[in-house]
Amino acid sequence: MEEVQRWDELIPDALGLIFSNLSLEEKLTVIPRVCKSWNKAVSGPYCWQEIDIEEWSCQCEPDHLDRMVRMLVARSCGSLRKLCVSSLCNYTTFSFIAEHAGSLQMLQLPRSEISDCVVEQMAGKLSTVTFLDVSYCSKIGARALEAIGKHCKFLVGLCRNMHPAGELSQEDEALAIATRMPKLKQLEMAYNLTTTESVLRILSSCKELELLDLRGCWDVKLDDRFVKEKFPKLKVLGPLVVDYYEMNEWDDWSEYSDAATDYFAWDFIADEVEDYDEDDDSFDGMWDDEVRLEELELRFYEGGHEDLGMHGWPQSP
């Protein structure tokens, strides 16, 4: 008789790989209450190597956001490869992220309140980062970009988009990019107040550029023929803005109104994040008996695959 493997007998990294496809809410409120083995898997690093809470963070109270980021980054146990979060207001949280960034490759922190000073202090901890998004971070400037370029030697992608209503020149930022980030392949600097001369310096220094986004950079005048002859592999967007630089992605949250209601309905995963202790990320103490959820639906796979039984795994509960 063929032996059937139980879901709760899967090794934690296999469970973590499966659970990583679930929503943040499901991983924090549903999975831990199914059984002890699932709680252990979702409390460990396997589910948190890639953390994307950007949508949720845009609608969250700052103190809640700080606690959530700290909890999830701590759970990654140094294996964090990707972090996407918006509107960080606490510089100590950025420092906490940097301290746990030994494996971090993609870091997206748009709209955050980080400063030049804290970036200069912590940039050395971000040496493995290859893609960075610091768009709309109004409190950083050339000093931060110089520090990032100095320490992030593998950086190939930078997003430094700004708001159309900006008044401060980014000439010094363009110079920092040109002198410190020669390996860039993708550079987004929409609505930067910069000049043609500065952009040409970037092009002459960053010879591997494949995409340059200049939408909304009205003072930049590049000759199309010149660009095609000198940089045949380069795609330049702008400065003409045809689609409002996809600002709906950032500023129009009407399409997420239902999602926002769902997130706030679970009230920040009850009291678990409110009471989170950085020195104790174990939730084993909450278990006296296994909890069964009769109508649990787990969306592990896209589409139906009737032959999954060949691996000896039962269908998801």
Side-chain angles (χ1 to χ4, degrees):
M1 181 176 180
E2 183 178 358
E3 182 179 356
V4 177
Q5 187 173 359
R6 291 164 50 91
W7 278 92
D8 58 1
E9 292 176 349
L10 291 175
I11 58 177
D13 54 345
L15 283 173
L17 180 62
I18 295 170
F19 295 159
S20 65
N21 294 292
L22 300 178
S23 69
L24 177 67
E25 179 182 358
E26 289 170 318
K27 286 188 286 188
L28 292 178
T29 64
V30 178
I31 297 301
R33 291 174 169 80
V34 176
C35 63
K36 290 181 180 180
S37 63
W38 285 24
N39 173 60
K40 182 178 180 181
V42 82
S43 298
Y46 311 106
C47 287
W48 309 108
Q49 294 178 355
E50 296 188 1
I51 300 172
D52 187 346
I53 57 172
E54 186 172 331
E55 280 185 24
W56 179 82
S57 60
C58 288
Q59 309 157 62
C60 178
E61 293 293 332
D63 56 338
H64 287 176
L65 176 59
D66 288 333
R67 284 196 289 273
M68 176 68 86
V69 171
R70 286 171 176 266
M71 182 185 73
L72 298 184
V73 171
R75 284 190 180 187
S76 71
C77 298
S79 64
L80 182 64
R81 297 194 300 263
K82 173 183 176 181
L83 175 63
C84 305
V85 57
S86 179
S87 306
L88 279 183
C89 294
N90 194 330
Y91 74 90
T92 61
T93 302
F94 175 77
S95 300
F96 184 84
I97 293 170
E99 292 289 351
H100 295 76
S103 302
L104 190 60
Q105 297 175 359
M106 176 179 287
L107 179 60
Q108 296 181 245
L109 301 172
R111 299 182 183 274
S112 294
E113 297 294 314
I114 53 179
S115 66
D116 281 334
C117 184
V118 69
V119 173
E120 287 176 325
Q121 292 175 1
M122 306 307 299
K125 305 283 187 180
L126 304 173
S127 59
T128 59
V129 171
T130 60
F131 182 90
L132 178 67
D133 186 348
V134 286
S135 297
Y136 318 113
C137 296
S138 59
K139 293 186 178 181
I140 65 171
R143 287 170 50 197
L145 295 182
E146 287 178 2
I148 291 167
K150 177 181 177 181
H151 294 284
C152 302
K153 300 296 186 181
F154 302 105
L155 193 68
V156 295
L158 175 67
C159 292
R160 182 57 176 155
N161 304 313
M162 300 301 289
H163 288 292
E167 297 180 354
L168 297 177
S169 171
Q170 279 91 34
E171 286 288 273
D172 54 349
E173 293 188 19
L175 178 61
I177 292 171
T179 56
R180 291 291 190 178
M181 303 179 184
K183 294 185 178 180
L184 284 181
K185 294 184 178 180
Q186 176 182 337
L187 174 59
E188 297 182 18
M189 46 192 298
Y191 291 104
N192 273 226
L193 296 180
T194 190
T195 63
T196 303
E197 181 181 358
S198 296
V199 171
L200 290 176
R201 294 189 67 168
I202 291 175
L203 292 179
S204 63
S205 300
C206 305
K207 300 183 183 301
E208 299 181 32
L209 265 182
E210 298 174 0
L211 175 64
L212 177 60
D213 193 337
L214 297 172
R215 284 179 283 186
C217 299
W218 306 116
D219 292 332
V220 177
K221 310 295 181 183
L222 292 179
D223 183 83
D224 290 341
R225 181 179 300 179
F226 170 79
V227 173
K228 290 180 180 179
E229 290 179 355
K230 292 290 185 179
F231 312 99
K233 296 181 180 180
L234 177 64
K235 179 179 181 180
V236 178
L237 304 179
L240 180 64
V241 180
V242 177
D243 58 355
Y244 302 97
Y245 190 60
E246 301 173 352
M247 289 302 293
N248 288 338
E249 178 182 349
W250 298 98
D251 294 330
D252 184 1
W253 291 100
S254 59
E255 63 181 302
Y256 298 116
S257 58
D258 293 337
T261 302
D262 292 339
Y263 276 121
F264 287 114
W266 50 285
D267 197 23
F268 212 66
I269 63 167
D271 293 326
E272 290 162 331
V273 177
E274 290 283 355
D275 299 332
Y276 168 64
D277 182 354
E278 291 175 15
D279 297 324
D280 181 16
D281 59 355
S282 172
F283 290 85
D284 290 341
M286 66 181 285
W287 295 102
D288 294 324
D289 298 298
E290 294 185 4
V291 179
R292 295 182 180 277
L293 301 180
E294 296 179 356
E295 297 183 356
L296 175 64
E297 177 185 358
L298 300 180
R299 298 186 296 277
F300 290 151
Y301 308 101
E302 294 184 2
H305 298 281
E306 298 179 356
D307 60 344
L308 290 177
M310 64 181 290
H311 299 288
W313 297 357
Q315 294 182 354
S316 58

